[in-house]
Amino acid sequence: MEDNKKIKKNTMFGTYEFPSYEEILDAYSREFSNYIQPKGNTIFGFWMQTIADLQFLQLELKGLTENYRIYPTERRVELKGDEDFIRLRIAHLEKVGDKPTLYSDIVDEFGDTNAYAFHNLYPYKGKFYPRVVRTLINAFQLNEDSIILDPFNGSGTATHESSLMGIKSVGVDVTPMGVMLSELKNDLLFIDERKLRFSVRDLIEIFQKIEKRQWEYSNPTIYKLMLAIYFDTIDAFARTSSYNRTGKTGLFIKKFNYIKECFEKTMKIKQKYGLKFIPARIVEGDILELKKFKEFEGKFDAVITSPPYYFSIDYVGKDKIAYDYLGIDMKKVESKYLGMKNNGELSRPYGKLPAKVAMYYEDLKKSIENIFWTLKPKGKLAIIVGDSTVGGRKIPTTMMTKNFCEEVGFKLEKLIFNPLLGARNRAIRGESIIICEKP
Ligand SMILES: C[S@@+](CC[C@H](N)C(=O)[O-])C[C@H]1O[C@@H](n2cnc3c(N)ncnc32)[C@H](O)[C@@H]1O
């Protein structure tokens, strides 16, 4: 009311004085927040957009407290429990008990809900959403005594998120590039800040040395970091003409500075919340030969993983620049890929499915058997898959995966479909998260 009066002030001519631009904005934003701001002291994160997000919130809350109620249309939650702990762990709420959650601080600091800490170090194909990993860790009630496995660890999203949450983990992947990136994300969490101090002149020199294949460095983390940034730079440069103005060296420096900023922001959050990061163990290996690691038998509390979407993504080809540089034979790496080594004998009929798809499924089933073997009784499995299209036909990977899980002895608990926004015309429109328990 008071505002109205202020806006309707008379001018010296007896007419109404127009409100200023600021006054209009102010009045609008107050009115607006009346409609869209959730009311309550435990509220949804603004990043919650889909029904799947609502299901994720429910999963998390179930793992973090026994007593909660979600009010979806009001975008708020009522809960009882250890609020401090929930605030540190939850990935879908902005405030708990009127105080910001750690996750909302992360989103504010990095300006993104997924590209935080070193998750965005390199654009590895088929990466997880870290938020989903965090959700599953909460849902499975994992803590500092638990240990997680990702046997298709790729660039190490699951292991990195576990490290950030102070939980032990092991990541296995068959590609040397994936292993290198996962190790890097791991090591950067523990590096001394002084090791990241480079002048523009230093960086130009490093770039030139890498170009001439003369790059050497005593610190292995910095050695690998510079290479990863170089590979990303060359790839981005080749694909996007708008980088022409920055030039390759300019882009390299920009990318290095971005990583340095990520380091500073991550350390700021670590300090603010007194977090304890835990390093992961990263292993180069083949899931089909997982039993070679005898110590993995019945060792893990949870497996959070995603097999290659072999038909839609060329994982190895994407990293051609890196493999050429490192002198790694891509064909050899590819031959170890799921569905590539199979000698053609099938254990069951696959109807009209193309032979290569059938071979892939044979290996997928064997992988799930091996995962089962690594878990403790009551251990949890979350496996994230998408249905790709082969020769114009959708292939039923989600249902096959679910069936394989049940066939090897898992109890199915939940299947959540997570649409990939804006993916209407893509080969993969969304992914499913299949959640199981080993009896
Ligand atoms: C969907 S990607 C996983 C991406 C990962 N979640 C991330 O966030 O980076 C699947 C991964 O499976 C790996 N892979 C394929 N065949 C494999 C095998 N036989 N053993 C282990 N890993 C394999 C690929 O190298 C690829 O990194």
Side-chain angles (χ1 to χ4, degrees), residues 103-367:
Y103 204 83
S104 71
D105 247 5
I106 290 180
V107 173
D108 283 346
E109 196 62 59
F110 286 86
D112 198 295
T113 56
N114 283 302
Y116 56 85
F118 297 106
H119 282 303
N120 207 26
L121 175 75
Y122 184 89
Y124 193 79
K125 284 270 180 174
K127 265 198 295 188
F128 269 154
Y129 292 112
R131 173 152 56 100
V132 174
V133 176
R134 184 167 283 250
T135 301
L136 293 165
I137 289 178
N138 286 334
F140 296 161
Q141 302 185 317
L142 304 176
N143 56 38
E144 56 285 355
D145 298 324
S146 317
I147 178 158
I148 301 169
L149 171 70
D150 184 349
F152 295 113
N153 196 37
S155 65
T157 310
T159 44
H160 194 47
E161 194 62 14
S162 306
S163 300
L164 295 169
M165 293 177 77
I167 297 170
K168 291 187 281 291
S169 65
V170 175
V172 179
D173 201 282
V174 85
T175 59
M177 188 60 187
V179 170
M180 174 175 137
L181 294 166
S182 309
E183 280 175 348
L184 250 181
K185 288 180 189 170
N186 221 1
D187 297 345
L188 284 168
L189 285 181
F190 303 96
I191 200 164
D192 180 340
E193 185 273 334
R194 284 168 299 187
K195 299 253 175 354
L196 289 170
R197 289 186 199 161
F198 291 94
S199 67
V200 168
R201 188 187 291 207
D202 292 336
L203 291 169
I204 293 174
E205 209 174 292
I206 292 170
F207 182 84
Q208 288 166 347
K209 279 193 181 153
I210 301 178
E211 286 265 271
K212 290 191 207 137
R213 307 274 207 263
Q214 288 168 355
W215 170 236
E216 280 171 12
Y217 203 72
S218 54
N219 181 309
T221 307
I222 299 295
Y223 174 78
K224 285 187 265 179
L225 174 65
M226 294 298 182
L227 283 182
I229 297 175
Y230 174 82
F231 299 148
D232 184 19
T233 301
I234 301 300
D235 182 55
F237 199 81
R239 281 184 294 113
T240 319
S241 57
S242 64
Y243 289 133
N244 281 348
R245 262 193 318 158
T246 335
K248 279 186 204 161
T249 326
L251 193 57
F252 179 77
I253 295 170
K254 208 163 139 188
K255 285 183 183 284
F256 173 81
N257 287 335
Y258 166 74
I259 299 298
K260 206 170 159 199
E261 257 173 45
C262 288
F263 177 83
E264 284 153 10
K265 290 175 180 174
T266 306
M267 292 307 137
K268 192 170 147 192
I269 300 258
K270 177 177 189 241
Q271 207 169 18
K272 178 168 173 188
Y273 287 90
L275 304 177
K276 189 167 175 269
F277 296 156
I278 299 280
R281 181 177 159 209
I282 308 295
V283 182
E284 188 172 322
D286 181 345
I287 189 168
L288 299 174
E289 294 173 4
L290 212 53
K291 290 188 178 163
K292 277 190 185 165
F293 300 94
K294 292 203 173 59
E295 73 276 21
F296 286 179
E297 182 174 7
K299 179 185 171 83
F300 295 94
D301 297 279
V303 168
I304 298 176
T305 199
S306 168
Y309 296 1
Y310 160 60
F311 312 104
S312 337
I313 301 179
D314 179 9
Y315 294 96
V316 183
K318 161 76 185 60
D319 297 320
K320 186 174 179 332
I321 297 165
Y323 287 121
D324 284 352
Y325 188 98
L326 299 169
I328 294 169
D329 182 356
M330 280 169 56
K331 285 267 158 310
K332 223 167 166 182
V333 176
E334 222 164 25
S335 71
K336 292 186 190 158
Y337 251 63
L338 220 60
M340 300 299 260
K341 288 206 292 292
N342 203 300
N343 60 11
E345 266 179 47
L346 301 176
S347 62
R348 67 168 85 196
Y350 284 93
K352 285 190 183 137
L353 285 176
K356 66 172 185 176
V357 177
M359 284 183 206
Y360 170 80
Y361 284 153
E362 289 281 298
D363 277 355
L364 186 58
K365 172 147 190 224
K366 180 114 192 282
S367 306

